[in-house]
Amino acid sequence: MKYKLSYFLCLLVLIVSCKGEDNQKRIAENAKDAQKKKIIFENIKKGWDFYDEPINEATEEGVKTWNELRLFIQELAQKPKKTISAYQQKAKAISKKAMALNNNLPELFNKPQIKSRISVLITKVRLLDMFIHLDDIPDKKVVQLVGEINKELATLQRQMDILTEKSKIPVEEGEDEMRRMLLDSARAIPNNPMMPNPSVIPASTRAIINPNAPRVE
């Protein structure tokens, strides 16, 4: 009887000891995980710095009706606080605003080069939203994407400035009409079966048709 009691007590002590070790291991793992999440949060908080390059006054005038761009930049300017969850919600909001950038483009900026830059910007923002929502957040990649978004936004704004400056260059009277006539003529030549081969046209006639054509003596 005494042996059975001793065996039972030893078994009980062993079970309690194992549970104690498991609890300590779990506590240590939780503490390690919490420390890792804290470091990730601090790194993202430090690197979450969106820069919006100032738009010149002329370009700003051109985007007054482009509310989607204004709302997107406003969303970027509002930095989250306190928790990683706040940054995740902010990334989702930024992604939503970025997806709307293709809407209501002003005529001046409704150009392939602008749409191309917007497409790249949207891709970067969506990647940021994806990475920050992973269970094991790659903080370095998130910070890298913030920098890439800044770069794409600056490139977009520079392209907008270029188009604005070009739009201010005065066009001489009749220049647009002349360009259209030349373009229409150039398009008509390959499709006109009645147009003789330039090689059989006398040099003097070619000079009249195209004064810039090289002369063969």
Side-chain angles (χ1 to χ4, degrees), residues 151-216:
K151 181 179 178 182
E152 294 303 330
L153 183 58
T155 303
L156 171 63
Q157 293 183 350
R158 282 197 297 271
Q159 189 66 59
M160 290 163 57
D161 289 343
I162 291 172
L163 290 176
T164 301
E165 291 301 319
K166 284 185 177 180
S167 70
K168 295 187 326 186
I169 299 175
V171 178
E172 294 184 8
E173 186 177 354
E175 185 177 345
D176 279 343
E177 185 178 354
M178 180 65 73
R179 286 177 179 174
R180 284 196 297 270
M181 290 174 61
L182 291 173
L183 183 60
D184 291 342
S185 298
R187 288 173 176 170
I189 289 173
N191 300 321
N192 190 347
M194 301 301 295
M195 191 68 179
N197 190 320
S199 62
V200 301
I201 300 176
S204 58
T205 305
R206 290 203 303 271
I208 295 173
I209 297 174
N210 182 7
N212 295 320
R215 297 185 178 182
V216 179

Side-chain angles (χ1 to χ4, degrees), residues 104-116:
N104 302 318
L105 273 168
E107 184 178 356
L108 177 60
F109 304 125
N110 193 7
K111 303 289 190 295
Q113 57 267 46
I114 294 295
K115 291 181 178 181
S116 175

Side-chain angles (χ1 to χ4, degrees), residues 5-21:
L5 182 60
S6 298
Y7 176 78
F8 176 75
L9 290 175
C10 289
L11 183 60
L12 182 62
V13 169
L14 182 61
I15 292 173
V16 171
S17 177
C18 289
K19 286 186 176 181
E21 289 179 1

